[in-house]
């Protein structure tokens, strides 16, 4: 990729304790497939794709203006996409998560930043090329979400690496 272009996305980076719990549980599953690196576990909020590096400052300003609340996410559903992607998802998507995504999308759109048009479906990718949904009991992970980040997706000799460029806190309580 050219130096002046970055592959960007906003996401919830999985916190270290949860990453460890999910990775341990995942290795106990009786499944085939290529595990997503533990350091890369995340939940994508908005995918921007290739953007000029010079746009990062504008994206930061745009996310600075968000007023979104902290929330708790329950990852309690194991799913498999037709393309073989095994993922964890919430069986109920919290309103605060939908609001965060909507605010992000609105701000991006009003800054005329091109977005991928796939509808938002909250999920955390676990394994690729998974031939079938494991019959193991679904898990239940509680994720207290109190921040979100802008990441650059980069390739290195070990594969894909997500570099956090900036992280924003979400608001606790009802204070404005
Ligand atoms: P790789 O593609 O290198 O195997 P990856 O899919 O994890 O790894 P990226 O393709 O850079 O890395 O994607 C980063 C994040 O954005 C992932 O959560 C991915 O699912 C999501 N994503 C990628 N392409 C799109 C898209 N076209 N629309 C929505 N989300 C996307
Ligand atoms: Mg990809």
């Amino acid at each position: 990729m050219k130096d002046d272009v970055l592959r960007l996305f906003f996401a919830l980076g999985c916190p270290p304790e949860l990453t460890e719990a999910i990775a341990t549980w995942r290795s106990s599953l009786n499944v085939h497939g290529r595990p997503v690196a533990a350091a890369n576990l995340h939940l994508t909020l908005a995918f921007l794709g290739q953007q000029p590096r010079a746009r990062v400052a504008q994206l930061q300003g745009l996310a600075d203006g968000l007023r979104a609340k902290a929330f708790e996410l329950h990852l309690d559903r194991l799913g498999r996409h037709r393309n073989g992607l095994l993922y964890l998802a919430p069986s109920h998507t919290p309103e605060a998560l939908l609001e965060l995504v909507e605010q992000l999308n609105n701000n991006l759109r009003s800054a005329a930043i091109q977005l991928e048009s796939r509808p938002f479906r909250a999920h955390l990718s676990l394994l690729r090329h998974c031939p079938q949904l494991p019959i193991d009991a679904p898990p239940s992970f509680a994720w207290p979400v109190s921040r979100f980040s802008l990441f650059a997706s980069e390739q290195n000799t070990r594969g894909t690496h997500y570099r956090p460029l900036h992280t924003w806190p979400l608001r606790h309580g009802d204070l404005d």
Side-chain angles (χ1 to χ4, degrees):
M1 192 178 291
K2 292 204 310 257
D3 281 355
D4 52 353
V5 174
L6 295 171
R7 184 174 171 89
L8 298 178
F9 63 106
F10 285 99
L12 308 176
C14 195
E17 325 76 62
L18 183 62
T19 295
E20 204 179 314
I22 291 176
T24 304
W25 162 79
R26 179 178 61 179
S27 57
S28 74
L29 289 177
N30 193 16
V31 280
H32 295 285
R34 183 162 61 84
V36 171
N40 283 357
L41 294 180
H42 70 283
L43 190 149
T44 297
L45 301 169
F47 180 74
L48 303 164
Q50 317 238 124
Q51 299 286 338
R53 184 183 290 273
R55 183 155 267 175
V56 170
Q58 183 191 6
L59 290 168
Q60 287 189 1
L62 188 151
D64 285 343
L66 290 190
R67 288 287 168 267
K69 290 187 203 141
F71 56 92
E72 178 136 316
L73 187 64
H74 289 281
L75 298 172
D76 57 358
R77 190 169 75 77
L78 188 55
R80 181 184 167 274
H81 197 264
R82 269 172 311 196
N83 65 6
L85 178 76
L86 188 73
Y87 60 86
L88 272 174
S91 52
H92 163 75
T93 305
E95 200 54 40
L97 172 54
L98 296 174
E99 274 171 26
L100 170 60
V101 169
E102 194 180 321
Q103 283 191 35
L104 262 178
N105 286 347
N106 288 344
N107 285 10
L108 290 163
R109 253 184 247 112
S110 55
I113 294 173
Q114 191 77 34
L115 272 179
E116 289 287 343
S117 55
R118 277 190 215 167
F120 174 68
R121 290 201 12 237
H123 71 280
L124 180 147
S125 300
L126 290 170
L127 279 152
R128 295 180 198 280
H129 312 300
C130 176
Q132 62 194 30
L133 189 64
I135 54 165
D136 304 63
S140 180
F141 293 107
W143 179 353
V145 179
S146 55
R147 57 181 67 91
F148 69 98
S149 304
L150 175 65
F151 289 95
S153 173
E154 300 178 338
Q155 299 294 322
N156 63 25
T157 48
R158 290 191 290 171
T160 304
H161 169 74
Y162 303 144
R163 183 162 57 92
L165 300 179
H166 199 82
T167 295
W168 292 265
L170 294 170
R171 292 184 311 159
H172 287 275
D174 294 328
L175 298 173
D176 278 305

